[in-house]
Amino acid sequence: MNSQDYNNNFHKWEVPSIDNLFASDPKLKQFEMDIRKRYAIYEKNKMAIEQSEGFDRFTQGFKEFGVFVTPEGGVMCKEWIPNARAVYLSGDFNNWEKWSYECKDHGKWEMYIRPHSDGPCPIRHLSKLKLFIETHDHQRLERISPWAKYVTRQGNGNDFQWLFWNPPKNQMCMSQSRRPLKPLGLKIYEAHIGVSSNRCEIASYRQFTSNVLPRIKDLGYNCVLLMAIKEHPFYPSLGYQVSNFFAASSRFGTPEDLKELVNVAHGMGITVIMDVVHHQASSNVNDGLNMFDGTRGCYFKDDESGYRNSDGSRIFDLTKWEVLRFLLSNLRYYMDEFNMDGFRFNGIHTMLYHDQGRDRWHSNDYRQYFGMQMNLESMAYLALANDLLHSRYPNVITIAEDHSNMPGMSRPVREGGIGFDYTISTSIPQKWMQLLNQERDEDWSMEFIFNAMTQRRAGEKVLALNEGHDQSLIGNCTIITKLMGEEICRNMSDMIPMTSRVDRGISLHKVFRLMTHSLIGDGYLNFMGNEFGHPDFLELPSPSNNDSYHYARRRFELCDDEQLRFKYLKRFDQALNRAEEKYGWLSSPPAFVSRKHEQDKVFVYERGDLLFLFNFHPTRSYPDYKVGVDKAGTYKIILDTDEKYFGGHGRNQSSVEFHTRQGMFDGRRNSLLVYVPSRSALVLSSRTYHNVPLHQQIDGGFSTDRTTYTPHAAIYC
């Protein structure tokens, strides 16, 4: 659907709840025409689908396209190949003879293979298959079906071969745990299956299920985000250059292994979401979608705009009917077949603008987001995808990774928004690093921290993170490696005196994580290993490093070793997540910041009936420091970054009670006096609690059974 058709008629297209959008963010009102135009394209596309095939059937293309078994045991073959004049299927099943498809309408080709007379499917499980295509311009092509469910590498090469996936029942994952409800306080553990072992290898779905899922549960995360699930030829791409969209990566195991992973996670109460890359595809020809029918077009734009500027990856043509079917069906396939709970849409800032989002970051000047630079067809597709998912899966979670931070990204489609549940706050890691790089600790600006941490769109949910996979990659820097440098490799033994640099690193790592977790986010994300200060960068094997796996792993043994100081950061991460689970600050309204004192370097806010105090000063501690609090009562410390169990100095006692005094202070109705140690943070609560020390609340709090996790009584104080 072409956006130009709507330039003069946008007022005719009603956006049902657009006034809610303007109420949440009044600055959007001046861009009403652009918002109505993108909504009109979304509405037109949806209406056309409903009237022609029906939305439900259209978005289940995996049940009609590709090569699949029918209920009576035959095999149906169907492809969209608009430039073909003849199409054949060959494979082990017919001794590589060319069995011909019949041409139907609009470039669709079909063939039906009857079941054998004695009942078995005519194509055996794991049989090799290949499409042979003769084009109108006399090319002879060999291709893999875009709808292929399973592909594997051929020998040591990078090209994939297509295997027919139809396992016998005794090899199928038959059990299916009920999907958990959508978490109120979303705490995401971002993970890559291949690097989830501490050995120099490509780890498997099964290893992840047995070894990493229990760790995620024990740490207190309620959601795992799986990267690089769809098949991709170039392993170091982290799954961004997908070649086979319906094939779960065979590097890590079989589709049934992935289904079992999801099933076990659900049994633990962990939701499972995965990366989806719909802004681009691999430029591979032999085993990907590129040049599938011998033309530059087919699934992609057929001019220069069909190529990504940075790496030549192909860009989908979202004005094409069959491309919409392919991508929308791709989402439903992983929801229905693998029982996924949602998706992170990667790199969508490259979809939103005609310049592919180049050098676009958060701005309060909304003119950079609207006007002729908008890619309306892409925005309409994202709205359609969110509408599909939320209308059919009530507990689905959709997350936008948008470095430009476009307004309305996480507002409902009916308001004229794009419809995501969350947008990732990608600027926070940069701001922490900017602080560490440009200022001495004693010169840190509390106003800078406030502005960095509270940068969000009005009325939109955000996921906060200290560092994700991007910061862990070679060439980038995690917070812990910036703080400690080489000492993270030399001085992390608990058997030797702690150096000042390690002390600073452990202290600030905890303080940063607590503030990022609790100040403004509606959810929190952490990349695997960063919770305990993983000392190594992440680098997947490639020709540039002689295919080394040395840094393509996560060294979990470091935080499990009681003689190493990594254990302190792991313990604090556990306590942080479990405190949120009990007190629910992520599902509470954003914090009220009552103090950001530049001379004292003290930052104070309230959220979810809790009081958070941060002292960023490197040397000054403050006895009887007066802070404002709205709710009167008796407060006690529920989390202390300086506790010895977390590698701190133990300068506060968890049993001490703090009593409020009535009277306005810092804009709050009450106040209390607290001892605030240097370079530390406290969380206080006035709720009723059991008198249980913090380290007893988290130490050994979960059983280690693979599928059943029963909290011990000491976990929740």
Side-chain angles (χ1 to χ4, degrees):
M1 304 296 172
N2 196 300
S3 61
Q4 294 180 357
D5 297 340
Y6 309 107
N7 284 339
N8 300 318
N9 299 308
F10 74 95
H11 283 297
K12 295 180 180 179
W13 291 94
E14 180 181 354
V15 182
S17 303
I18 197 170
D19 289 339
N20 292 346
L21 180 69
F22 298 149
S24 69
D25 192 345
K27 289 197 297 184
L28 288 171
K29 178 67 176 176
Q30 61 182 304
F31 304 102
E32 180 177 357
M33 182 179 76
D34 291 326
I35 294 169
R36 287 187 181 274
K37 281 163 62 176
R38 74 185 183 194
Y39 184 86
I41 299 173
Y42 146 78
E43 184 75 7
K44 272 284 191 181
N45 286 344
K46 183 177 180 181
M47 288 173 57
I49 292 169
E50 288 281 20
Q51 292 170 5
S52 62
E53 299 184 37
F55 206 42
D56 200 54
R57 177 185 172 188
F58 184 83
T59 57
Q60 295 184 86
F62 55 90
K63 295 183 177 181
E64 294 188 32
F65 286 79
V67 178
F68 57 92
V69 180
T70 62
E72 65 274 12
V75 173
M76 186 67 196
C77 314
K78 186 175 180 179
E79 303 291 346
W80 175 62
I81 316 175
N83 190 42
R85 64 183 178 88
V87 179
Y88 308 93
L89 181 69
S90 292
D92 294 333
F93 76 101
N94 64 0
N95 295 317
W96 294 97
E97 294 181 7
K98 293 182 178 179
W99 289 12
S100 178
Y101 283 68
E102 180 182 356
C103 182
K104 299 293 184 179
D105 58 341
H106 305 295
K108 298 186 181 73
W109 296 78
E110 295 183 11
M111 175 175 58
Y112 179 69
I113 306 173
R114 296 183 181 278
H116 290 314
S117 57
D118 55 355
C121 175
I123 304 180
R124 295 179 61 183
H125 176 53
L126 297 180
S127 294
K128 294 179 183 179
L129 297 175
K130 186 166 287 188
L131 288 173
F132 290 87
I133 302 169
E134 296 177 7
T135 70
H136 288 295
D137 52 352
H138 307 294
Q139 298 181 68
R140 296 179 182 272
L141 311 174
E142 298 181 12
R143 295 289 188 264
I144 293 175
S145 170
W147 304 83
K149 306 300 192 297
Y150 189 57
V151 299
T152 62
R153 294 178 67 180
Q154 301 185 65
N156 295 323
N158 286 324
D159 287 347
F160 288 102
Q161 60 184 355
W162 173 20
L163 302 182
F164 185 61
W165 188 255
N166 183 34
K169 286 189 177 181
N170 62 359
Q171 296 180 25
M172 296 174 67
C173 175
M174 301 300 294
S175 61
Q176 190 175 85
S177 298
R178 178 180 296 181
R179 283 190 176 113
L181 296 177
K182 184 186 295 187
L184 288 176
L186 189 62
K187 298 178 283 292
I188 299 176
Y189 197 79
E190 183 186 30
H192 186 290
I193 299 292
V195 304
S196 60
S197 166
N198 63 358
R199 297 189 291 270
C200 296
E201 63 182 7
I202 297 178
S204 68
Y205 297 124
R206 291 185 177 186
Q207 287 174 300
F208 191 92
T209 302
S210 298
N211 302 330
V212 183
L213 283 181
R215 184 177 296 275
I216 294 170
K217 181 66 178 181
D218 188 51
L219 287 168
Y221 292 90
N222 53 27
C223 179
V224 59
L225 166 58
L226 299 178
M227 302 172 60
I229 292 299
K230 298 179 186 180
E231 196 59 270
H232 49 290
F234 188 50
Y235 189 44
S237 75
L238 294 173
Y240 291 138
Q241 298 174 11
V242 177
S243 57
N244 310 95
F245 282 75
F246 288 83
S249 181
S250 60
R251 282 188 181 88
F252 315 133
T254 70
E256 303 307 310
D257 294 337
L258 177 57
K259 291 177 184 179
E260 176 66 9
L261 185 160
V262 175
N263 182 50
V264 172
H266 285 172
M268 295 177 175
I270 299 173
T271 57
V272 185
I273 60 179
M274 60 177 279
D275 270 345
V276 61
V277 181
H278 280 180
H279 64 280
Q280 66 181 46
S282 168
S283 60
N284 279 27
V285 172
N286 292 334
D287 52 11
L289 295 178
N290 190 22
M291 303 290 291
F292 177 66
D293 69 346
T295 68
R296 292 202 307 175
C298 198
Y299 284 91
F300 308 107
K301 299 178 180 180
D302 61 2
D303 55 17
E304 293 308 310
S305 67
Y307 295 85
R308 191 162 183 250
N309 296 330
S310 59
D311 58 14
S313 298
R314 298 307 313 272
I315 296 176
F316 287 104
D317 187 344
L318 296 170
T319 67
K320 292 181 178 177
W321 188 260
E322 294 302 329
V323 174
L324 289 179
R325 183 200 307 276
F326 182 80
L327 294 177
L328 293 173
S329 296
N330 191 234
L331 299 173
R332 288 202 67 177
Y333 175 69
Y334 285 96
M335 293 296 292
D336 293 349
E337 295 297 314
F338 292 91
N339 211 26
M340 291 289 176
D341 299 295
F343 304 96
R344 174 175 67 179
F345 285 68
N346 258 317
I348 61 172
H349 53 282
T350 65
M351 300 176 67
L352 301 176
Y353 314 97
H354 290 300
D355 66 358
Q356 300 180 17
R358 191 184 303 114
D359 298 325
R360 291 182 184 270
W361 302 97
H362 176 96
S363 174
N364 290 321
D365 182 0
Y366 282 15
R367 291 174 298 179
Q368 88 160 34
Y369 299 107
F370 297 97
M372 296 296 292
Q373 60 206 332
M374 297 169 63
N375 188 330
L376 293 173
E377 284 76 19
S378 292
M379 295 181 187
Y381 164 71
L382 292 171
L384 194 61
N386 274 294
D387 181 21
L388 163 71
L389 291 168
H390 287 98
S391 64
R392 280 155 177 78
Y393 310 97
N395 288 313
V396 73
I397 300 168
T398 63
I399 300 168
E401 184 196 44
D402 169 25
H403 292 290
S404 73
N405 203 8
M406 169 169 271
M409 187 62 61
S410 297
R411 296 297 298 183
V413 175
R414 66 181 179 274
E415 296 181 1
I418 306 298
F420 286 97
D421 293 302
Y422 300 90
T423 302
I424 298 177
S425 183
T426 56
S427 64
I428 292 176
Q430 301 166 8
K431 297 299 183 180
W432 283 130
M433 202 57 66
Q434 183 179 339
L435 199 67
L436 293 171
N437 283 330
Q438 297 181 2
E439 301 287 347
R440 300 182 307 165
D441 293 11
E442 55 266 37
D443 296 331
W444 286 358
S445 164
M446 298 299 101
E447 189 66 27
F448 174 87
I449 293 174
F450 172 78
N451 291 332
M453 297 299 297
T454 57
Q455 183 174 278
R456 63 180 294 172
R457 299 299 182 201
E460 301 191 42
K461 288 186 176 182
V462 298
L463 282 177
L465 74 159
N466 259 6
E467 47 205 354
H469 69 273
D470 284 333
Q471 288 71 41
S472 302
L473 294 173
I474 184 172
N476 294 331
C477 186
T478 61
I479 288 173
I480 199 69
T481 53
K482 179 63 182 177
L483 288 168
M484 293 191 187
E486 293 183 358
E487 290 200 31
I488 199 171
C489 300
R490 295 198 308 260
N491 295 322
M492 290 298 280
S493 171
D494 230 359
M495 303 296 105
I496 62 175
M498 184 183 291
T499 66
S500 60
R501 188 168 187 183
V502 169
D503 184 21
R504 172 179 180 261
I506 289 177
S507 298
L508 289 179
H509 190 271
K510 293 178 292 185
V511 169
F512 286 3
R513 293 179 82 83
L514 174 57
M515 178 170 276
T516 302
H517 203 301
S518 61
L519 181 51
I520 64 143
D522 304 284
Y524 178 76
L525 183 146
N526 167 70
F527 180 65
M528 61 190 310
N530 288 346
E531 69 277 2
F532 66 85
H534 198 282
D536 297 331
F537 53 77
L538 180 64
E539 183 184 29
L540 274 63
S542 69
S544 64
N545 62 16
N546 296 317
D547 293 317
S548 171
Y549 286 83
H550 183 73
Y551 295 110
R553 55 181 177 149
R554 298 278 92 179
R555 300 177 61 189
F556 293 114
E557 77 279 3
L558 297 176
C559 64
D560 295 336
D561 191 331
E562 287 297 314
Q563 296 185 351
L564 297 179
R565 294 186 171 112
F566 296 101
K567 66 188 176 191
Y568 297 130
L569 301 180
K570 173 190 171 183
R571 289 173 181 175
F572 183 74
D573 201 62
Q574 288 175 311
L576 180 59
N577 285 328
R578 295 190 185 168
E580 195 290 322
E581 191 68 24
K582 177 180 179 181
Y583 293 96
W585 60 70
L586 288 174
S587 56
S588 301
F592 180 91
V593 178
S594 60
R595 169 162 289 225
K596 40 186 192 292
H597 197 284
E598 294 294 353
Q599 184 175 350
D600 294 344
K601 305 302 177 192
V602 171
F603 201 106
V604 181
Y605 55 87
E606 294 160 80
R607 189 177 186 190
D609 292 331
L610 299 176
L611 179 64
F612 296 81
L613 296 86
F614 293 79
N615 181 3
F616 286 97
H617 202 286
T619 58
R620 293 180 187 168
S621 298
Y622 302 107
D624 294 333
Y625 194 84
K626 189 175 183 179
V627 297
V629 62
D630 206 50
K631 183 180 179 182
T634 298
Y635 284 75
K636 289 190 68 173
I637 296 171
I638 65 159
L639 194 59
D640 179 4
T641 65
D642 194 51
E643 189 175 348
K644 287 186 176 181
Y645 187 72
F646 304 138
H649 300 282
R651 290 170 285 181
N652 262 311
Q653 295 182 354
S654 60
S655 60
V656 174
E657 295 183 345
F658 304 91
H659 304 281
T660 59
R661 296 179 181 178
Q662 189 174 7
M664 295 297 295
F665 185 78
D666 280 350
R668 313 309 280 161
R669 292 179 293 180
N670 299 280
S671 64
L672 46 78
L673 302 177
V674 186
Y675 176 62
V676 189
S678 60
R679 201 178 271 155
S680 71
L682 302 170
V683 185
L684 283 73
S685 173
S686 62
R687 289 192 196 177
T688 303
Y689 44 78
H690 300 297
N691 189 19
V692 180
L694 283 174
H695 68 274
Q696 292 183 17
Q697 296 173 30
I698 69 168
D699 194 21
F702 282 98
S703 68
T704 56
D705 181 85
R706 185 179 177 209
T707 58
T708 305
Y709 282 75
T710 305
H712 297 168
I715 293 175
Y716 301 114
C717 59

